[in-house]
């Protein structure tokens, strides 16, 4: 009888992530209850944000039905150490990556953004004596099954893969997960890093980050069919950028906050904590208080309609620093709660309040670590020519004139 039926949906977050252009039928799962109205539905996932929870409820029960009963556990994985490092050329990063793999002394997964990058990483690691194999959709089913079998049985294998690898895998002893490039969202990042340390032992999660990868992801998203899913993906990408650009607040707290959970204890003080690079850092800090002041002046002078392009052009002319620096600085301020972003892509509103976070040994000064991505952009000569900046300023003045 229908009241004895129970439909169990695992990896339920994919209803929201894949239920647009990729798997539109996921949005029609409410047909299950229409066909079997007395049946029970159980949806399970390890990474559900409040927005994804609404999407799941809408897909399973329809827009006019009451909300599902949600049992939510903690997303915190205290044994994981979160670390974000600057991404450079492959030949400079391979020695760092090899060192991480040697220190892990166990199974590892390295995620790359494309099949081409997967093969390049695998070849480079092999040349440096690392036991590594590639896994992506371009390999045959037999080859992928062989890599999977070896990963589950060999103690020191490093699998270099696209995001397709890892779904359904329950390897307890993974000691290291590396994102060589940015994932598509914090949900995807939490899924991938969550495959480390499932036995409760300390494990590392390292992301090699550069601003150009955010731009590349944005281009890939904009090439998709415009619509609600595209807007959501761009919003999630900006949230990931703010997380990666952050050099002030705890990474664990930032990740958990994205999933609607609040952490009050620093990750270095919680039981069995793996910590994060910010809470554990001993970096020399660089003062960027003047640049923050210039950014605030620009935001104040262009209320409500200061797009990233216009704002960056104004600041390039004033300070001769490349656009990525200002973009990352604004992202850092939003992460710290000093700057709010209007729900229109690439624009800022007024500061909610004007105060600097307290950084150790730099009380009242806004600082970033030496050789962090934002600091390297700060020291990099401006690549944008003066006449381009003047053109952007001219376009901005025209836009203001039309509005007024």
């Amino acid at each position: 009888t229908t009241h004895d039926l129970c439909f169990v949906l695992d990896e339920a977050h994919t209803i929201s992530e894949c239920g647009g252009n990729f798997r539109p039928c996921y949005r029609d799962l409410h047909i299950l209850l229409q066909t079997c109205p007395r049946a029970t539905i159980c949806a399970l996932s390890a990474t559900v944000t409040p927005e994804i929870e609404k999407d799941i409820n809408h897909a399973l029960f329809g827009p006019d039905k009451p909300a599902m009963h949600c049992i939510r556990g903690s997303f915190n994985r205290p044994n994981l150490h979160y670390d974000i490092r600057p991404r450079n050329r492959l030949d400079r990063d391979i020695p760092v990556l090899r060192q991480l793999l040697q220190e892990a002394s166990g199974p590892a997964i390295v995620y790359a953004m494309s099949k081409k990058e997967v093969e390049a990483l695998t070849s480079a690691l092999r040349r440096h004596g690392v036991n590594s194999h590639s896994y992506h959709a371009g390999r045959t089913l037999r080859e992928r099954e062989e890599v999977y079998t070896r990963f589950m049985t060999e103690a020191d294998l490093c699998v270099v893969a696209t995001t397709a690898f890892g779904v359904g895998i329950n390897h307890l002893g993974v000691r290291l997960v590396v994102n060589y490039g940015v994932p598509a969202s914090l949900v995807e990042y939490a899924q991938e890093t969550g495959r480390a340390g499932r036995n409760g032992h300390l494990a590392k999660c390292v992301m090699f980050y550069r601003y150009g990868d955010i731009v590349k992801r944005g281009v890939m998203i904009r090439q998709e069919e415009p619509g609600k899913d595209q807007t959501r993906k761009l919003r999630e990408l900006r949230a990931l950028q703010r997380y990666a650009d952050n050099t002030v607040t705890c990474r664990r707290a930032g990740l958990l906050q994205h999933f609607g959970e609040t952490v009050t204890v620093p990750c270095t003080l919680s039981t069995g904590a793996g910590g994060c690079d910010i809470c554990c850092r001993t970096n020399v800090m660089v003062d960027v208080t003047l640049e923050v002041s210039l950014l605030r002046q620009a935001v104040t002078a262009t209320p409500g309609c200061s797009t990233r392009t216009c704002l960056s052009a104004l600041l390039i002319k004033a300070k001769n620093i490349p656009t990525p620096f200002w973009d990352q600085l604004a992202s850092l301020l939003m992460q710290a709660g000093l700057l709010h972003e209007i729900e229109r892509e690439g624009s800022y509103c007024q500061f909610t309040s004007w105060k600097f976070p307290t950084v150790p040994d730099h009380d009242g000064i806004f600082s970033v670590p030496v050789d962090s991505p934002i600091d390297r952009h700060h020291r990099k000569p401006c690549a944008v020519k003066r006449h381009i900046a003047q053109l952007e300023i001219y376009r901005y003045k025209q836009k203001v004139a039309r509005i007024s």
Side-chain angles (χ1 to χ4, degrees), residues 23-264:
R23 290 287 188 271
C25 58
Y26 285 7
R27 297 291 172 86
D28 298 325
L29 286 170
H30 57 271
I31 294 174
L32 291 174
L33 280 182
Q34 292 176 1
T35 306
C36 308
R38 300 180 64 184
T40 302
I41 294 183
C42 178
L44 307 172
S45 176
T47 50
V48 174
T49 65
E51 183 179 6
I52 291 177
E53 184 180 324
K54 292 179 182 178
D55 283 348
I56 294 173
N57 187 81
H58 187 282
L60 295 183
F61 303 103
D64 302 324
K65 300 295 182 181
M68 59 186 175
H69 177 62
C70 182
I71 301 174
R72 181 183 293 269
S74 175
F75 290 94
N76 189 20
R77 296 285 304 282
N79 62 312
L80 299 185
H81 176 89
Y82 297 99
D83 189 0
I84 294 183
R85 304 190 180 195
R87 179 178 173 181
N88 302 293
R89 295 194 316 267
L90 183 60
D91 58 339
R92 292 180 59 186
D93 287 337
I94 283 296
V96 179
L97 191 52
R98 182 183 61 177
Q99 180 67 26
L100 287 170
L101 291 166
Q102 290 175 346
E103 292 173 355
S105 64
I109 306 174
V110 178
Y111 288 104
M113 295 175 62
S114 66
K115 292 184 287 186
K116 183 178 178 180
E117 287 189 356
V118 166
E119 293 297 339
L121 273 168
T122 305
S123 300
L125 287 171
R126 285 178 176 174
R127 287 195 298 270
H128 282 75
V130 177
N131 180 20
S132 59
H133 287 275
S134 63
Y135 186 104
H136 54 74
R139 305 201 67 181
T140 65
L141 178 61
R142 182 177 179 180
E143 289 173 332
R144 281 179 283 165
E145 288 177 345
E146 181 181 349
V147 172
Y148 171 77
T149 302
R150 294 188 61 178
F151 178 72
M152 297 299 290
T153 55
E154 295 184 17
D156 63 342
L157 182 66
C158 171
V159 174
V160 186
T162 55
T163 188
F165 183 77
V167 178
I169 291 179
N170 190 27
H171 196 310
L172 301 181
V174 177
R175 300 295 304 278
L176 174 69
V177 172
V178 174
N179 289 90
Y180 194 75
V182 297
S185 65
L186 280 174
V187 172
E188 185 175 301
Y189 177 68
Q191 282 280 334
E192 292 171 353
T193 56
R195 289 160 193 151
R198 292 188 175 180
N199 56 5
H201 296 168
L202 292 178
K204 270 194 171 184
C205 306
V206 182
M207 182 195 299
F208 285 79
Y209 167 71
R210 66 182 177 193
Y211 177 77
D213 290 336
I214 293 288
V215 176
K216 186 186 297 185
R217 284 285 189 189
V219 170
M220 293 165 61
I221 294 172
R222 289 181 179 89
Q223 289 173 346
E224 300 177 3
E225 184 178 345
K228 178 182 176 182
D229 284 332
Q230 186 185 75
T231 303
R232 176 182 58 80
K233 288 178 181 179
L234 288 171
R235 185 165 60 247
E236 290 177 352
L237 182 63
R238 291 198 299 273
L240 176 73
Q241 181 189 355
R242 289 194 292 270
Y243 174 82
D245 283 336
N246 169 41
T247 58
V248 178
T249 58
C250 172
R251 296 212 189 276
R252 185 184 308 278
L255 185 61
L256 295 179
Q257 183 181 11
H258 185 72
F259 291 98
E261 187 173 343
T262 303
V263 176
T264 56

Side-chain angles (χ1 to χ4, degrees), residues 198-340:
R198 292 188 175 180
N199 56 5
H201 296 168
L202 292 178
K204 270 194 171 184
C205 306
V206 182
M207 182 195 299
F208 285 79
Y209 167 71
R210 66 182 177 193
Y211 177 77
D213 290 336
I214 293 288
V215 176
K216 186 186 297 185
R217 284 285 189 189
V219 170
M220 293 165 61
I221 294 172
R222 289 181 179 89
Q223 289 173 346
E224 300 177 3
E225 184 178 345
K228 178 182 176 182
D229 284 332
Q230 186 185 75
T231 303
R232 176 182 58 80
K233 288 178 181 179
L234 288 171
R235 185 165 60 247
E236 290 177 352
L237 182 63
R238 291 198 299 273
L240 176 73
Q241 181 189 355
R242 289 194 292 270
Y243 174 82
D245 283 336
N246 169 41
T247 58
V248 178
T249 58
C250 172
R251 296 212 189 276
R252 185 184 308 278
L255 185 61
L256 295 179
Q257 183 181 11
H258 185 72
F259 291 98
E261 187 173 343
T262 303
V263 176
T264 56
V265 180
C267 63
T268 51
L269 299 179
S270 56
T271 305
C276 72
D277 59 318
I278 292 177
C279 293
C280 300
R281 72 182 173 200
T282 56
N283 308 58
V284 177
M285 304 297 288
V286 176
D287 182 9
V288 291
T289 308
L290 176 61
E291 286 75 11
V292 172
S293 178
L294 289 171
L295 180 60
R296 178 177 181 265
Q297 292 173 26
V299 172
T300 304
T302 56
C305 59
S306 54
T307 64
R308 291 182 189 271
T309 303
C310 295
L311 180 59
S312 297
L314 286 165
L315 293 171
I316 287 169
K317 184 173 177 62
K319 188 64 177 171
N320 198 35
I321 296 176
T323 302
F325 169 81
W326 300 109
D327 195 34
Q328 289 181 310
L329 183 60
S331 177
L332 189 152
L333 291 175
M334 285 186 280
Q335 179 74 22
L338 298 174
L339 180 67
H340 282 184

